[in-house]
Amino acid sequence: MTDLINKKIILVNSIKIAPMLIQHEEKEDRKGSFFVMGDNAPLAEMTYSMPNSKLMIIQHTEVDDVLQGKHVGQQLIDAAVNYAKDNDLKIFPLCPFVKAVFTKNEDKYKDVWNK
């Protein structure tokens, strides 16, 4: 019986995903990123540019292997979408990953998606 309880606990713990601390950096050249910082470098990063004051082009998303399977890419998207909503922006997902997520969940992102 103890083995069954321990196995259930391991299973529950293996699917529990803690939110990452997503940081945001804006640069002077109308570019920026949302990222998860490791000890010395970002472990996950989504880069964007702002060609004008109302459009964010998400260019690239990359997640280190150590964070694979922890839904960090989705958390980066959520951070970008929240930022867009807070700042009355539209998002053009040039990044294939972000475009795939937007396409799969079109209703969820229709208010910020610049198709």
Side-chain angles (χ1 to χ4, degrees):
M1 182 61 106
T2 303
D3 287 339
L4 289 176
I5 292 170
N6 288 338
K7 286 182 182 178
K8 287 181 183 177
I9 291 170
I10 290 169
L11 176 62
V12 169
N13 288 339
S14 70
I15 60 171
K16 185 178 180 182
I17 306 299
M20 296 282 146
L21 173 61
I22 306 294
Q23 298 181 56
H24 179 220
E25 177 182 37
E26 292 181 72
K27 300 176 183 170
E28 291 180 22
D29 60 357
R30 302 189 56 80
K31 294 182 181 182
S33 65
F34 295 91
F35 59 96
V36 174
M37 195 65 185
D39 290 335
N40 299 318
L43 292 175
E45 184 175 39
M46 172 184 289
T47 60
Y48 68 87
S49 63
M50 300 279 298
N52 63 54
S53 63
K54 293 295 178 184
L55 182 63
M56 173 190 287
I57 298 174
I58 297 180
Q59 299 169 320
H60 181 72
T61 305
E62 189 168 344
V63 177
D64 190 274
D65 289 343
V66 72
L67 295 178
Q68 292 293 327
K70 299 191 183 314
H71 305 279
V72 176
Q74 181 64 56
Q75 291 178 49
L76 290 169
I77 290 173
D78 293 344
V81 167
N82 289 336
Y83 179 81
K85 287 179 180 181
D86 289 347
N87 292 280
D88 196 29
L89 303 172
K90 294 291 186 180
I91 295 175
F92 181 79
L94 186 60
C95 168
F97 168 70
V98 178
K99 186 173 183 178
V101 171
F102 273 37
T103 300
K104 186 175 180 179
N105 303 286
E106 190 169 343
D107 285 344
K108 181 177 179 180
Y109 300 110
K110 66 183 173 186
D111 57 338
V112 295
W113 190 1
N114 182 357
K115 289 186 177 185

